[in-house]
């Protein structure tokens, strides 16, 4: 049986990674799609777990071979989702989380072959976003400015998503995200013609 795709986007610094860590440990059968990126690892990030960290040349070779389900240039770096990884996980019946930006989400949305639930996470405000990004302490001032500028544009894409979560109080946002995933899974218990799968009364 095939799994489902969940596309999750947010302006950088919103708390998407933090939320996903909290929610994913509590739900069985969910896999995180580990993207490829040309960005340098942050302190504590591990190759193959947070990202596959590759050179620009390796990334462009993969892109030209058609290895990506989608890819985008985000905040001055390339990021891409490996087709092989996603199809492998879906084929095992796992639901797959795609933590991708608004450009990548638009590609998935346009693809007739990829049915996904689209979730957008916003911070309670831009000042709080800046506070969180600064508090994380991973970006230079210049890179932080780029991410904040891009946040304004990314927020405009929120209307294209099926679900919107405000990450104000972390535990509350996590509860909403968990609820969405579980509700989407419940929707999946339907036959291709849309009828619900019924109990077998002869058992
Ligand atoms: P993203 O993955 O969206 O870029 P992170 O998960 O790295 O963001 O979170 C950015 C910073 O904000 C981190 O320092 C994290 O601890 C903090 N953070 C995340 N969620 C909340 C929240 N609900 N309230 C306050 N701080 C938060
Ligand atoms: P970060 O550098 O903070 O880890 O991620 C920056 C942005 O790149 C985030 O919006 C994140 O969702 C996005 N991103 C991560 N992996 C991918 C990917 O494979 N494809 C696309 N399109 N965006 C990605």
């Amino acid at each position: 049986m095939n799994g489902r795709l969940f596309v999750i986007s947010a302006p950088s610094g919103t708390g998407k990674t933090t939320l996903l860590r909290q929610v994913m440990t509590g739900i069985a059968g969910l896999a995180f799609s580990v993207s490829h990126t040309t960005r340098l690892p942050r302190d504590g990030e591990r190759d193959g777990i947070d990202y596959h960290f590759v050179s620009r040349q390796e990334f462009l070779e993969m892109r030209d071979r058609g290895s990506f389900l989608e890819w985008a240039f985000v905040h001055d770096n390339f990021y891409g989702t490996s087709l092989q990884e996603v199809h492998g996980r879906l084929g095992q019946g796992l639901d797959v989380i795609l933590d991708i930006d608004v450009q990548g989400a638009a590609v998935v949305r346009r693809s007739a072959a990829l049915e996904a639930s689209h979730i957008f996470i916003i911070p309670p405000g831009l000042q709080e976003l800046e506070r969180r990004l600064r508090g994380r302490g991973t970006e230079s001032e210049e890179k932080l400015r780029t991410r904040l500028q891009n946040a304004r544009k990314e927020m405009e894409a929120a209307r294209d998503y099926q679900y919107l979560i405000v990450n104000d109080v972390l535990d509350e946002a996590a509860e909403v995200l968990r609820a969405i995933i579980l509700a989407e899974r419940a929707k999946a218990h339907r036959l291709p013609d849309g009828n619900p799968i019924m109990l077998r009364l002869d058992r």
Side-chain angles (χ1 to χ4, degrees), residues 9-21 42 51 99 121 124 128-129 131-139 147 166-173:
S9 307
S12 178
T14 299
K16 174 165 44 101
T17 309
T18 311
L19 262 175
L20 280 175
R21 284 209 183 112
R42 295 179 185 137
Y51 281 105
D99 167 348
I121 304 169
E128 173 63 10
L129 182 70
R131 200 190 64 76
R132 286 183 192 174
L133 258 185
R134 285 191 188 283
R136 193 171 71 189
T138 52
E139 316 301 319
R147 284 174 182 250
V166 183
N167 179 22
D168 188 356
V169 178
L170 183 68
D171 285 348
E172 289 176 10

Side-chain angles (χ1 to χ4, degrees), residues 21 30 57 59 72 76 80 123 194:
R21 284 209 183 112
L30 264 187
Q57 189 184 338
F59 189 97
D76 302 330

Side-chain angles (χ1 to χ4, degrees), residues 25 30 33 39-40 64 80-81 90 131 155 169-170 174 179 188 201:
T25 49
L30 264 187
S33 160
R39 162 164 90 59
L40 293 174
D64 295 344
T81 303
L90 290 176
R131 200 190 64 76
M155 301 270 259
V169 178
L170 183 68
L201 297 176

Side-chain angles (χ1 to χ4, degrees), residues 12-122:
S12 178
T14 299
K16 174 165 44 101
T17 309
T18 311
L19 262 175
L20 280 175
R21 284 209 183 112
Q22 181 155 331
V23 167
M24 288 195 64
T25 49
I27 303 180
L30 264 187
F32 180 76
S33 160
V34 181
S35 295
H36 287 68
T37 184
T38 58
R39 162 164 90 59
L40 293 174
R42 295 179 185 137
D43 272 356
E45 281 185 332
R46 288 156 301 168
D47 188 32
I49 293 178
D50 299 290
Y51 281 105
H52 299 289
F53 295 99
V54 294
S55 67
R56 192 170 266 234
Q57 189 184 338
E58 283 174 280
F59 189 97
L60 294 178
E61 281 171 9
M62 281 186 75
R63 182 195 67 179
D64 295 344
R65 281 200 305 272
S67 306
F68 292 126
L69 182 151
E70 62 74 36
W71 64 272
F73 192 67
V74 195
H75 319 314
D76 302 330
N77 279 294
F78 286 102
Y79 295 82
T81 303
S82 150
L83 255 174
Q84 198 184 4
E85 173 156 339
V86 170
H87 283 164
R89 299 289 170 88
L90 290 176
Q92 292 163 9
L94 294 170
D95 292 336
V96 179
I97 302 269
L98 300 184
D99 167 348
I100 60 179
D101 87 313
V102 296
Q103 305 169 75
V107 172
V108 174
R109 203 176 290 116
R110 283 195 298 268
S111 159
L114 294 170
E115 210 196 308
S117 307
H118 290 255
I119 304 165
F120 197 85
I121 304 169
I122 55 168

